[in-house]
Amino acid sequence: MSSDSESSDVLSWRRYLHQNPELSFKEIETSRFIESTLQGFGVRTWRLAPTGVIAEIGTGGPIIALRADIDALPVDEATGTPYASANFGVMHACGHDAHAAMLLAAAKSLSVRPPATGRVRLVFQAAEELPPGGAQQLVEAGLLEDVSMVFGIHVQSGLPVGMAAVGPGPVTANSDRFEILLHGSAGHAALPHQARDAIVMAGHLILALQTIVSRSVDPMSPAAVSIGQVEAGRAPNIIADRARLAGTVRSLQAPTQAIVEQRIRDLAQTTATAFGGSAEVRYMRGYPGVENALLPSGLFAQAARDVLGEDSVQGALTQLAGEDFGHYTRRVPGAFLYLGSGSEGRDFPHHHPRFDLDERALDYGVQVWLRLVDLALDRLAAPGPT
Ligand code: NI
């Protein structure tokens, strides 16, 4: 397993980052810290997007990419730990501090024992938490053009420490947003026949939208349509001429995503028309779902079994959460692994003010990274289909 210095490095880096969280696209000190730490052990680094740090170890090809996200959330930390956020109102409440620390520790090890063949590209990615996210910029800048496989680890408080989950197929959802503006015409509340009530349109439309998942989507294909905001009206005695609905759509499969978008558009138009009004629909596709490919997820599962034990690795943990790692798996074969970080008192949900992790997960994560690098570069160097 790991040496003592590796363990103390990853722990102190994680706590340093935890205490100094920065919001998405504003990871100024975080990226400086990552850069100078990497340079401290002789690793070459460069910037892609202002706060993304890329590093590379090894020579020639093939190349695999390992990704850690580095941003924090607008959450008021309530853990009471000695390493709690010193930047009140901002918190590493999703474990991205752990991701960055684990990848730094893996980089330190690899800098001493670089891979015999091929290269490891380390991706410290900004802004996973805030759409449009940092991944898309990196992909557009050509980050993956010469990369054969891409991998990501996310700690998971709902999974006990010492466990991991990875397998082929969907891991997270396509996560989209929509906004509907309903237009009617205003009037006196006592003279409804002279107006076109946008609130009544909204009421019917809210119920109609509930039928998309239950009546239009294949029950074997998961999806969620949720309206999170409704705004209309200015006074009890005025009929509203305008209503605004905004919501979120999650889906795992592209055909389902397309059906949901089309049904939202159709229902908004026809409902508004039925009540004498009109609708404007804005549908914004967000992070694509993370889709684990067969070979990379097999290699990741093997690495996790080698480190954690045969019975400690379960299949894919699919959630309708959003994760911009989907931009990577859409481009090259890849896999995303959930690393258990939960234990009693350390199992608050991600994004909760008391979220924390069982820090034993840190060492496991570093070891899984190192084992994966060996397995993946060996496999890519071997003849035969990939
Ligand atoms: Ni996260």
Side-chain angles (χ1 to χ4, degrees):
M1 289 292 292
S2 56
S3 70
D4 287 350
S5 79
E6 235 166 50
S7 297
S8 66
D9 282 343
V10 71
L11 189 69
S12 66
W13 292 334
R14 184 262 161 165
R15 290 184 174 193
Y16 170 80
L17 291 168
H18 192 86
Q19 206 159 12
N20 297 281
E22 293 176 299
L23 291 173
S24 313
F25 296 111
K26 295 176 182 163
E27 306 91 338
I28 308 292
E29 295 306 323
T30 304
S31 54
R32 267 191 210 142
F33 172 78
I34 289 167
E35 205 167 46
S36 67
T37 305
L38 288 164
Q39 288 166 358
F41 32 85
V43 172
R44 60 182 186 276
T45 68
W46 68 97
R47 293 285 182 117
L48 263 191
T51 49
V53 178
I54 316 297
E56 222 171 62
I57 300 172
T59 50
I63 305 174
I64 60 169
L66 314 183
R67 177 268 211 166
D69 40 12
I70 65 172
D71 56 326
L73 287 156
V75 172
D76 298 338
E77 178 156 359
T79 61
T81 56
Y83 51 86
S85 172
N87 182 7
F88 192 74
V90 183
M91 176 189 177
H92 270 294
C94 197
H96 300 186
D97 50 342
H99 304 165
M102 294 188 301
L103 196 57
L104 278 175
K108 186 176 180 187
S109 243
L110 289 166
S111 73
V112 179
R113 293 179 300 277
T117 55
R119 267 180 286 170
V120 181
R121 185 167 297 161
L122 305 148
V123 181
F124 294 88
Q125 181 214 301
E128 188 282 322
E129 299 284 6
L130 186 67
Q136 190 172 13
Q137 277 186 42
L138 298 184
V139 169
E140 282 166 5
L143 176 76
L144 298 181
E145 260 155 39
D146 47 2
V147 165
S148 301
M149 291 184 191
V150 60
F151 299 92
I153 292 181
H154 204 299
V155 293
Q156 178 56 250
S157 66
L159 197 63
V161 66
M163 298 282 295
V166 63
V171 181
T172 64
N174 302 310
S175 47
D176 304 339
R177 287 177 302 134
F178 65 88
E179 182 183 56
I180 302 169
L181 294 176
L182 294 167
H183 300 284
S185 62
H188 195 292
L191 301 165
H193 59 292
Q194 294 177 354
R196 298 280 183 261
D197 191 341
I199 289 180
V200 171
M201 287 176 217
H204 279 265
L205 181 56
I206 289 165
L207 293 178
L209 292 172
Q210 309 310 308
T211 67
I212 297 177
V213 172
S214 70
R215 302 293 90 182
S216 301
V217 167
D218 180 345
M220 301 306 288
S221 179
V225 176
S226 294
I227 298 159
Q229 285 180 302
V230 179
E231 293 166 6
R234 300 183 63 187
N237 59 351
I238 301 173
I239 289 176
D241 65 341
R242 186 178 172 283
R244 175 182 170 271
L245 311 182
T248 299
V249 175
R250 302 294 166 97
S251 60
L252 291 186
Q253 284 142 351
T256 299
Q257 182 183 31
I259 287 167
V260 173
E261 178 178 351
Q262 193 55 53
R263 290 300 293 151
I264 288 175
R265 292 184 184 283
D266 291 349
L267 287 168
Q269 294 303 344
T270 54
T271 305
T273 307
F275 295 97
S278 63
E280 279 174 71
V281 179
R282 291 209 312 136
Y283 191 95
M284 293 139 285
R285 293 199 172 198
Y287 296 167
V290 172
E291 182 85 18
N292 279 357
L294 198 56
L295 179 59
S297 60
L299 292 164
F300 227 161
Q302 185 60 51
R305 280 195 298 270
D306 290 351
V307 171
L308 304 171
E310 278 300 315
D311 300 328
S312 300
V313 181
Q314 63 184 57
L317 195 68
T318 308
Q319 303 176 350
L320 292 187
E323 163 61 72
D324 73 350
F325 194 79
H327 282 295
Y328 302 131
T329 61
R330 200 161 64 160
R331 194 58 66 106
V332 298
F336 195 67
L337 174 141
Y338 286 116
L339 181 71
S341 63
S343 59
E344 202 174 339
R346 301 279 161 97
D347 53 359
F348 286 95
H350 291 247
H351 299 200
H352 190 285
R354 293 182 67 190
F355 172 84
D356 198 0
L357 46 111
D358 186 315
E359 289 176 317
R360 287 176 293 175
L362 298 169
D363 265 332
Y364 292 139
V366 179
Q367 298 313 311
V368 170
W369 272 139
L370 294 173
R371 184 69 189 129
L372 173 75
V373 168
D374 284 345
L375 290 172
L377 287 177
D378 280 358
R379 181 65 180 78
L380 287 165
T386 57

